[in-house]
Amino acid sequence: MARLPKERKATVMLQGEEVLFTFREPTNEELNDFLTSRFELKGKGPKDTSVAARCDFFDLLLVKVENLEDEQGEVTPERKDRIPSNWKQDMIMQLFEATEINVKN
């Protein structure tokens, strides 16, 4: 029997080293809130707020960082502000938005 995952992992290559990020699975409510927060409907059309939404979702779900440091020491989930926004955005897009499932009829 297949089991729903409890976490997802992403690896970033940096200067020949692997940096591992671990995220908890979001609840359905958290995922729905994130997906709807990517765009605001105001005025003449939708406003793209996806970068900020992805960074916030990253910060919400991050539980572990391995093999990453800066001049102040090890980067941990408590120091997630040190992680570049473009990394956050790319990981969330790949892990939670660009997922595919195989549906058989």
Side-chain angles (χ1 to χ4, degrees), residues 8-44:
R8 298 185 194 196
K9 295 181 184 267
T11 303
V12 173
M13 290 301 296
L14 182 64
Q15 300 166 348
E17 301 275 341
E18 287 187 353
V19 180
L20 183 63
F21 296 85
T22 304
F23 304 89
R24 69 173 175 80
E25 280 294 316
T27 65
N28 284 334
E29 182 178 2
E30 289 170 334
L31 184 57
N32 290 339
D33 288 347
F34 159 65
L35 293 173
T36 58
S37 71
R38 297 175 301 164
F39 298 93
E40 290 180 7
L41 298 175
K42 289 186 175 181
K44 296 180 181 179

Side-chain angles (χ1 to χ4, degrees), residues 53-105:
R54 288 180 183 116
C55 288
D56 290 345
F57 200 53
F58 178 101
D59 291 349
L60 176 70
L61 300 179
L62 183 67
V63 294
K64 190 174 184 181
V65 180
E66 297 176 58
N67 202 31
L68 183 62
E69 63 181 23
D70 65 4
E71 63 282 346
Q72 297 174 357
E74 187 177 357
V75 176
T76 63
E78 294 76 26
R79 298 184 63 232
K80 59 187 162 252
D81 61 309
R82 304 298 300 153
I83 300 166
S85 294
N86 59 328
W87 292 16
K88 292 179 178 186
Q89 172 176 267
D90 289 351
M91 282 185 258
I92 292 301
M93 285 176 61
Q94 290 181 28
L95 290 176
F96 296 97
E97 293 179 87
T99 60
E100 294 182 18
I101 58 171
N102 186 8
V103 178
K104 284 189 164 188
N105 292 332

